[in-house]
Amino acid sequence: MKADAARIAAITRAWPADLRLVLLHGHDESASRDMAGQLAAGFGAGVTITELAGSALRSDPQALLAAATSLSMFGDRELVRVDGLDDEGQAAVTALLEGPPGHPVLAVAGVFKKGSKLLALADKHVAVAVCINYEASLRDAGRLLAEMAAPLGLRLERGVPEGLFESAGGDRMIMRRELEKFALYKDASLQNPQRLGAEDLAALGIATGEAELFAPIAAITTGDVGEATDLIGRLPDGTAIPLLRALERRFAQLVLLRTEVDAGQSPAAVVEGQGKAIFWKEKTFIIKALSLWTQPALAGAMGDLLAAERAVKSSGGIADLGAQHLLLDLARRAAVAGRRR
């Protein structure tokens, strides 16, 4: 039967005795993996998890039923998890549902083809909970991050959800790990709720949001020296480390994308091929940056950024000025590359 996120959350708290299988699928595989992790955690630390690959079920359709009905060596409750389930696992799922009761089964799939017989079977069966996960967008950040943060005792201030969402590229597992890290940093819990603000994101090197870092990153990587000079000069004290780290993430992204450009694709085709993995407001700037930065230049920039971060941390802030000089130098490198085109 079809299930929404609220239904999955209820199953996380208490798996019903008559539920044989939870199937998580859809375009947002990070959301499915995140849900799967929460469902598994709901069984407690003592649960035994038997893992199966979806590809293994193609040649052995009885493997799933065998794992679900196996005897526990220690009498503890077991969970069977299948990763990469696809339509070729239909026979295995049918055998499971027609077989005797056993351990609960959790399956993670990607996108099913239109007319999928396995999905049709799962959608109609009362012993199956099927949840489809669509890719989230920035406008979903407030609700999504608030739902993740509440059980950790975190209350997110304005702008924080959007900052976390963008820094994680919309990946829910990364966002959850970041929130867990911040909960430890703030000593937050349900009994001791804490507010999470932009200053906390900056303290641990997370991007402080579009308003402060998006514009200077775009100016630096696209060679707009005048804009970069103005924006860097107006940044508040203590922004050096967050900006350096944000630039490190941007240059690491450019390294990966530049590989496809060097293989013959145009920068625009490479960026558009990433879909929603790249925030729409950034696409124009990333396309331009890809045309300016070669792999050797990117490697040099990454090395300089890491050295600048070490200098700032070791000096207790005295090297902030040096970091600013590097940022402007990076903008000039991009500008020079643009004039050579």
Side-chain angles (χ1 to χ4, degrees):
M1 302 293 287
K2 292 182 179 179
D4 57 14
R7 169 66 171 151
I8 298 300
I11 295 171
T12 298
R13 294 189 291 270
W15 188 294
D18 59 351
L19 183 64
R20 301 295 308 279
L21 169 67
V22 169
L23 173 59
L24 308 172
H25 71 104
H27 285 90
D28 194 343
E29 293 190 32
S30 73
S32 295
R33 293 194 301 271
D34 180 60
M35 279 187 174
Q38 296 304 301
L39 283 162
F43 284 87
V47 67
T48 299
I49 300 178
T50 300
E51 297 183 354
L52 296 175
S55 57
L57 304 181
R58 303 169 191 169
S59 57
D60 186 5
Q62 295 299 313
L64 181 57
L65 177 61
T69 55
S70 64
L71 293 176
S72 174
M73 294 181 62
F74 304 103
D76 296 328
R77 195 173 189 191
E78 294 190 14
L79 173 67
V80 179
R81 174 165 175 169
V82 182
D83 281 299
L85 184 66
D86 56 25
D87 277 311
E88 294 190 33
Q90 180 190 352
V93 172
T94 300
L96 172 75
L97 298 176
E98 293 178 350
H103 308 304
V105 178
L106 170 60
V108 177
V111 179
F112 286 105
K113 295 179 181 178
K114 186 176 181 180
S116 165
K117 293 181 179 179
L118 189 158
L119 187 57
L121 168 67
D123 278 341
K124 295 177 181 178
H125 205 289
V126 295
V128 182
V130 183
C131 181
I132 183 170
N133 286 304
Y134 299 100
E135 289 185 343
S137 65
L138 188 62
R139 62 176 172 270
D140 303 312
R143 171 192 57 79
L144 183 61
L145 271 296
E147 290 175 354
M148 290 183 178
L152 299 171
L154 290 174
R155 298 172 182 172
L156 308 184
E157 294 184 353
R158 188 173 181 178
V160 169
E162 292 77 13
L164 284 170
F165 187 95
E166 290 185 322
S167 69
D171 189 303
R172 298 196 200 191
M173 291 189 71
I174 294 176
M175 288 188 282
R176 188 177 296 281
R177 298 291 87 78
E178 292 296 331
L179 287 171
E180 290 171 349
K181 178 175 69 178
F182 281 116
L184 289 173
Y185 171 72
K186 300 284 288 188
D187 192 26
S189 67
L190 287 174
Q191 296 73 34
N192 183 40
Q194 299 290 326
R195 292 191 174 276
L196 186 67
E199 68 279 5
D200 299 310
L201 303 194
L204 293 191
I206 302 300
T208 57
E210 176 184 344
E212 289 188 354
L213 298 186
F214 171 76
I217 289 173
I220 291 166
T221 55
T222 60
D224 190 336
V225 179
E227 181 74 0
T229 302
D230 179 57
L231 291 170
I232 293 171
R234 290 194 280 113
L235 287 173
D237 292 339
T239 315
I241 289 293
L243 181 52
L244 289 170
R245 289 182 177 175
L247 274 167
E248 288 165 18
R249 290 192 293 271
R250 172 54 52 83
F251 279 112
Q253 179 187 40
L254 291 173
V255 167
L256 294 174
L257 298 177
R258 183 69 207 191
T259 301
E260 298 183 42
V261 173
D262 292 340
Q265 294 193 59
S266 69
V270 171
V271 170
E272 290 302 326
Q274 298 298 305
K276 293 182 179 179
I278 296 179
F279 185 43
W280 65 271
K281 287 186 178 181
E282 296 182 301
K283 287 186 176 182
T284 300
F285 299 103
I286 293 178
I287 289 171
K288 183 175 181 180
L290 279 175
S291 69
L292 300 176
W293 292 89
T294 64
Q295 288 288 17
L298 288 168
M302 288 284 286
D304 290 340
L305 286 167
L306 291 171
E309 182 181 342
R310 287 193 297 269
V312 172
K313 289 190 290 187
S314 64
S315 68
I318 297 175
D320 273 22
L321 185 59
Q324 291 181 8
H325 284 309
L326 169 63
L327 298 175
L328 294 176
D329 181 58
L330 291 174
R332 284 191 287 268
R333 294 182 205 178
V336 170
R339 290 195 291 269
R340 291 173 178 167
R341 291 172 60 195

